[in-house]
Amino acid sequence: MYVKVAICLTFAILLLISCSIYVGTIDAKSYFFPLLQPSPLRLSLCATDRPLRVYMYDLPRKFNAGMMDRGTSQVAAPATVENFPPWPKTSGLKRQHSVEYWLMASLLYNEEEGSEAIRVSDPEMADAFFVPFFSSLSFNKHGHVTTDAEADADRQLQVELLEFLRQSKYYQRSGGRDHVIPMTHPNAFRFLRQELNASILIVVDFGRYPRNMSSLSKDVVAPYVHVVDSFTDDDPLDPYGSRTTLLFFRGNTVRKDEGKIRVKLANILAGIDDVHFENSVGTPKSFKMSTKGMRLSKFCLHPAGDTPSSCRLFDAIVSHCVPVIVSDKIELPYEDEIDYTEFSIFFSMKEALEPGYLIDQLRRFPKDRWINMWMRLKNVSHHYEFQYPPKKEDAVNMLWRQVKHKLPGVRLAVHRSRRLKVPDWWRRKR
């Protein structure tokens, strides 16, 4: 009797399993042969809400914070959160190119709450790799000095860094594509820049980069670090009426390339009572005067400089002065998240050089629309603040989020490169 019961139970179980397989509730292959199953797909980072995991190379101090030490840094050990120096208040115009410093500082601080990126100690866990070389500060420290020894110091750092990266198995693994390298000064990494063209470069524009080296598809556009003081108590009863200057510009009018437009604009705008257009250089006194002037102006003029962008745009944003942008080839930070037409006005260079046109358009600009732009500037200005410790949605965290957006394209390129047996046909001229 017991035998018959066992046979009946066995038959019933087999029948139940067969029915389950038939209707699809059980995957027979995974149930009976689990070891034959492929590993699960690695989800795109953009499909998750977790912070970007960044491995930062432990470079000797001379590549970064050592350049801020008095004299020549002899410390070989990497910079740490305990010995990382504050950014000097007397750095002048060098501050505008200090994005590299603030990115490194955010990884040293490494607080996960509110952060778009966290530092990981295991490179195997990393989504991206940060190269903490202060290439802009290196140029500012060595490149402006005309002696051969100083120029060689900048070049030697670049040579040593390139040798270091080429020995890294993680750099070799992706061809450098998942490596993040700041180059915000137009002359940063000037000697060997083309050797790093596969990496994610942090730039302020593409004025001095050939198209085969840098592009919007792989690189991240950063804001300059503003040099004027932020306007934190901008709450007048009449914001439009309290700003008595129609248009403000204060800066160097002698520039290269498209920046030559500044001299032409100076001639066009000369003699207009409520327009302040002044040639000046970057000094502490000049920064204070620019801070005051922008806060008293409805519109702030941003013409192209030596390259399509300049720090002046971001000075205007944190001053809540509506930017008037005259630069045909400018690219802007976070533009996949922020619509600059909500708080800026754009003129082509041709339009701006038409006598009377720009000023006429500004005089006709509706007051209520200006107030909306002013309010929008107050709402977005925190996205352009570089600070330590970093804060949620500030400039550093916005930049790390931009890096995160680039990584699906990086993985696509890496995976394709592993299976291609012929030169990539997309790079050929058609």
Side-chain angles (χ1 to χ4, degrees):
M1 178 178 178
Y2 292 109
V3 174
K4 290 182 178 181
V5 172
I7 292 173
C8 290
L9 286 174
T10 301
F11 178 78
I13 292 171
L14 290 174
L15 181 63
L16 180 62
I17 292 174
S18 300
C19 292
S20 298
I21 292 173
Y22 179 76
V23 298
T25 58
I26 291 181
D27 182 352
K29 186 185 294 184
S30 63
Y31 188 82
F32 293 107
F33 307 103
L35 296 179
L36 298 181
Q37 288 299 294
S39 58
L41 288 176
R42 186 181 181 186
L43 288 177
S44 168
L45 181 59
C46 290
T48 69
D49 293 327
R50 67 169 174 80
L52 181 72
R53 293 184 300 220
V54 182
Y55 179 81
M56 179 166 64
Y57 286 106
D58 286 327
L59 293 178
R61 189 179 177 88
K62 68 179 181 179
F63 285 97
N64 39 69
M67 299 182 207
M68 302 170 64
D69 297 338
R70 292 189 176 184
T72 302
S73 177
Q74 301 297 325
V75 181
T80 65
V81 68
E82 290 80 16
N83 63 25
F84 198 63
W87 184 263
K89 295 181 179 180
T90 58
S91 60
L93 283 175
K94 292 179 182 178
R95 177 179 171 82
Q96 66 180 328
H97 297 297
S98 62
V99 173
E100 55 204 11
Y101 169 89
W102 302 104
L103 287 172
M104 182 178 181
S106 72
L107 294 178
L108 289 173
Y109 182 67
N110 205 33
E111 177 64 46
E112 185 169 351
E113 185 178 355
S115 297
E116 293 290 337
I118 58 171
R119 185 183 185 185
V120 294
S121 57
D122 182 0
E124 295 293 343
M125 297 292 295
D127 302 306
F129 295 78
F130 181 67
V131 181
F133 173 43
F134 291 178
S135 58
S136 296
L137 186 56
S138 180
F139 173 77
N140 280 324
K141 184 178 178 69
H142 305 299
H144 285 302
V145 183
T146 57
T147 63
D148 291 340
E150 289 294 338
D152 285 346
D154 187 25
R155 180 192 292 271
Q156 186 60 32
L157 286 173
Q158 295 172 37
V159 169
E160 291 180 25
L161 179 68
L162 199 58
E163 291 176 351
F164 173 87
L165 290 175
R166 285 173 173 169
Q167 292 172 9
S168 164
K169 74 173 185 177
Y170 300 102
Y171 187 84
Q172 295 173 17
R173 184 176 67 182
S174 69
R177 292 181 180 91
D178 54 3
H179 283 52
V180 180
I181 306 177
M183 294 188 190
T184 54
H185 193 289
N187 294 319
F189 223 103
R190 54 185 172 149
F191 296 113
L192 299 172
R193 182 186 293 174
Q194 69 281 359
E195 302 294 330
L196 300 170
N197 61 359
S199 298
I200 301 173
L201 306 182
I202 309 293
V203 300
V204 291
D205 58 40
F206 300 97
R208 294 188 183 172
Y209 294 84
R211 292 185 181 180
N212 63 351
M213 177 183 174
S214 189
S215 67
L216 277 175
S217 62
K218 77 173 186 69
D219 298 322
V220 171
V221 178
Y224 285 82
V225 182
H226 64 82
V227 297
V228 303
D229 295 334
S230 300
F231 202 174
T232 56
D233 56 348
D234 185 15
D235 298 301
L237 294 176
D238 181 10
Y240 187 84
S242 66
R243 293 174 178 255
T244 54
T245 301
L246 177 68
L247 181 64
F248 180 86
F249 173 87
R250 197 169 193 281
N252 197 331
T253 57
V254 181
R255 299 282 84 178
K256 306 171 187 174
D257 301 323
E258 289 187 354
K260 294 176 182 177
I261 193 176
R262 294 187 180 187
V263 173
K264 298 176 182 179
L265 287 171
N267 294 329
I268 292 173
L269 299 173
I272 302 176
D273 290 340
D274 53 356
V275 172
H276 184 101
F277 196 107
E278 180 183 354
N279 181 41
S280 71
V281 295
T283 63
K285 181 180 179 180
S286 176
F287 297 154
K288 290 181 179 179
M289 295 181 69
S290 292
T291 298
K292 181 179 179 180
M294 287 185 168
R295 294 181 181 186
L296 292 174
S297 302
K298 296 178 176 70
F299 301 98
C300 287
L301 184 63
H302 172 75
D306 289 341
T307 63
S309 65
S310 77
C311 184
R312 188 167 292 97
L313 169 60
F314 308 101
D315 289 342
I317 289 175
V318 300
S319 301
H320 312 150
C321 179
V322 174
V324 175
I325 299 174
V326 183
S327 181
D328 292 344
K329 297 180 180 179
I330 194 171
E331 296 295 347
L332 299 165
Y334 336 130
E335 205 165 5
D336 59 341
E337 300 188 59
I338 293 179
D339 182 357
Y340 282 78
T341 62
E342 294 179 352
F343 55 83
S344 306
I345 305 173
F346 294 82
F347 291 92
S348 69
M349 296 176 73
K350 182 179 179 181
E351 289 173 331
L353 292 177
E354 183 179 335
Y357 179 78
L358 188 149
I359 294 299
D360 183 59
Q361 293 297 307
L362 297 183
R363 293 199 190 285
R364 294 185 181 187
F365 201 81
K367 177 180 177 179
D368 58 346
R369 189 178 171 196
W370 182 91
I371 291 176
N372 287 337
M373 285 190 167
W374 170 77
M375 294 176 65
R376 183 65 177 144
L377 281 167
K378 293 180 66 177
N379 288 334
V380 302
S381 61
H382 66 285
H383 295 313
Y384 303 89
E385 297 289 354
F386 290 87
Q387 56 208 335
Y388 184 84
K391 296 180 181 179
K392 185 177 181 179
E393 299 286 306
D394 68 0
V396 161
N397 279 303
M398 292 290 284
L399 287 176
W400 284 126
R401 192 155 73 215
Q402 289 294 301
V403 171
K404 183 177 180 179
H405 294 171
K406 300 297 181 182
L407 291 181
V410 168
R411 285 187 183 163
L412 172 63
V414 170
H415 294 169
R416 288 186 73 248
S417 68
R418 288 174 181 170
R419 55 90 172 169
L420 285 176
K421 300 297 183 180
V422 297
D424 193 345
W425 52 87
W426 288 104
R427 297 180 183 272
R428 299 176 186 173
K429 292 183 179 180
R430 301 190 178 190

